[in-house]
């Protein structure tokens, strides 16, 4: 029998990422999930990490309207420039502030910044941080936390992304699953 991915198992795996040094895997996972759930036109990060990077973990690239019309999800990301930052740091609040500041200082005219974290973020704190950063930098911020990740993976059937990117022991893609109308 193939082990099933449950919300409890996924939450535990997300909670313990840093103890397994899976920060890069988390960034890859978060980008793949964002491509499926938010917008498919994301650039993968290349080059060095840290000080020499472009200050974003990924960003949208322009897509022709005729292509964007074929997407099943919204197409706002096809025309706008969105920045994404991903983090597995336990202390997410200073990290989002630091990442947003770096992104805003690039002067690339981003219309939206997403911050995806493996941590739980209380709604009140999320709203407070989003509002404060928008006032300070003039760019809307969306913080997506572990609750959002688990919901998207379990409820929207994105388990294959977890299997491909996070290497949870014993999990494999169900070989009997076939793509089609049913």
């Amino acid at each position: 029998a193939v082990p099933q991915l449950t919300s409890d198992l996924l939450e535990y795996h997300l909670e313990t990422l840093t103890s397994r040094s899976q920060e890069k895997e988390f960034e890859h996972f978060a980008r793949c999930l964002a491509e499926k759930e938010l917008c498919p036109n994301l650039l993968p990060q290349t080059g060095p990490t840290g000080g020499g990077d472009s200050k974003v973990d990924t960003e949208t690239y322009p897509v022709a309207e005729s292509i964007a019309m074929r997407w099943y999800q919204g197409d706002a990301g096809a025309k706008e420039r969105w920045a994404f930052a991903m983090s597995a740091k336990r202390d997410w609040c200073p990290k989002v502030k630091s990442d947003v500041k770096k992104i805003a200082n690039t002067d690339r005219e981003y219309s939206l910044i997403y911050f995806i974290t493996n941590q739980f973020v209380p709604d009140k704190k999320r709203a407070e941080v989003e509002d404060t950063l928008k006032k300070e930098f003039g760019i809307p911020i969306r913080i997506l936390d572990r609750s959002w990740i688990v919901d998207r993976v379990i409820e929207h059937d994105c388990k294959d992304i977890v299997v491909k990117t996070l290497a949870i022991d014993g999990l494999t893609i169900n070989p009997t699953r076939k793509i089609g109308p049913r």
Side-chain angles (χ1 to χ4, degrees), residues 38-41 61-80:
L38 303 171
C39 59
N41 58 320
Y61 57 88
V63 176
E65 190 173 327
S66 60
I67 292 172
M69 288 177 60
R70 294 183 227 154
W71 294 349
Y72 291 108
Q73 288 84 14
D75 65 354
K79 298 173 189 165
E80 298 175 6

Side-chain angles (χ1 to χ4, degrees), residues 32-121:
C32 290
L33 188 60
E35 283 176 332
K36 184 164 184 185
E37 291 294 319
L38 303 171
C39 59
N41 58 320
L42 295 178
L43 291 170
Q45 183 185 30
T46 59
T49 57
D53 68 2
S54 66
K55 308 299 182 209
V56 297
D57 290 322
T58 188
E59 65 181 329
T60 56
Y61 57 88
V63 176
E65 190 173 327
S66 60
I67 292 172
M69 288 177 60
R70 294 183 227 154
W71 294 349
Y72 291 108
Q73 288 84 14
D75 65 354
K79 298 173 189 165
E80 298 175 6
R81 193 167 193 184
W82 296 349
F84 289 77
M86 291 93 168
S87 176
K89 285 191 172 187
R90 181 170 303 283
D91 200 1
W92 64 271
C93 196
K95 179 65 172 154
V96 69
K97 290 175 181 179
S98 168
D99 284 355
V100 168
K101 182 177 181 178
K102 288 177 188 174
I103 291 168
N105 288 336
T106 65
D107 292 325
R108 292 191 194 126
E109 299 183 16
Y110 291 110
S111 59
L112 181 61
I113 299 172
Y114 281 100
F115 180 81
I116 303 175
T117 177
N118 68 325
Q119 302 300 313
F120 282 119
V121 178

